[in-house]
Amino acid sequence: PYLGHSTEMGMNGIYIQQAANCRIDDVTFVNCDYGIILSAGYHCQLSNLSFQSSRKHGPENCTGHHAVSLTGPGNLLDGFTINQRFVHDLTVEKSTGNVFKNGKALDLSIDHHRRAPYENLFSNIDAGIGDRLFYSGGARGRGKHAGVRAVFWNIITEKAVPWPVEMEQEQLLMIGVNISDSPEISDSAGR
């Protein structure tokens, strides 16, 4: 069974560090703690990824820690299916200019793990239930979950999701997202 957040036994998939122009395509991950960690990767393309688990659910009703975690600029994840629940499904940390598109999940967590991720795009994603769309981790002393110009475009959820108040509000862009309680919008807010 999945033992819980930060107690993983090391059922890990692919780890790439400080590499450029890599490609990972058509991979299925089964019963993993971590699927892909792309640490300081540049201009890499991940596509057609699938995640599934037959493990007993652990704490937080999860069966893994991270599906895809990116730190670095200009990477693309195009096409993914997450048929399990990770603590953090899609993670950006210390990263900018990444694109996540054409995906589907049971109850997606788009994790902005602090440390200044900004200008990342999430587009054309069926996020499933919508209970934890903007659930994010990261130590509080690292600042807001996301910096400026995070873009969420055509994110479908079964139910409305609350506005992500712990993200930088300046130039936060939501298009085609079912938000239940958006804040007051002023002309200078850039939203």
Side-chain angles (χ1 to χ4, degrees), residues 142-165:
R142 294 178 176 175
K144 292 188 177 284
H145 284 294
V148 298
R149 295 181 294 279
V151 178
F152 303 90
W153 192 313
N154 191 30
I155 309 296
I156 299 166
T157 54
E158 292 174 16
K159 59 184 178 181
V161 297
W163 185 265
V165 295

Side-chain angles (χ1 to χ4, degrees), residues 30-66:
V30 180
N31 296 331
C32 64
D33 292 324
Y34 286 78
I36 294 177
I37 298 174
L38 181 58
S39 177
Y42 301 89
H43 309 290
C44 297
Q45 181 174 337
L46 317 174
S47 56
N48 304 313
L49 305 179
S50 176
F51 300 86
Q52 56 195 12
S53 180
S54 60
R55 295 166 118 178
K56 179 180 174 189
H57 292 134
E60 300 179 14
N61 200 28
C62 294
T63 57
H65 193 161
H66 287 272

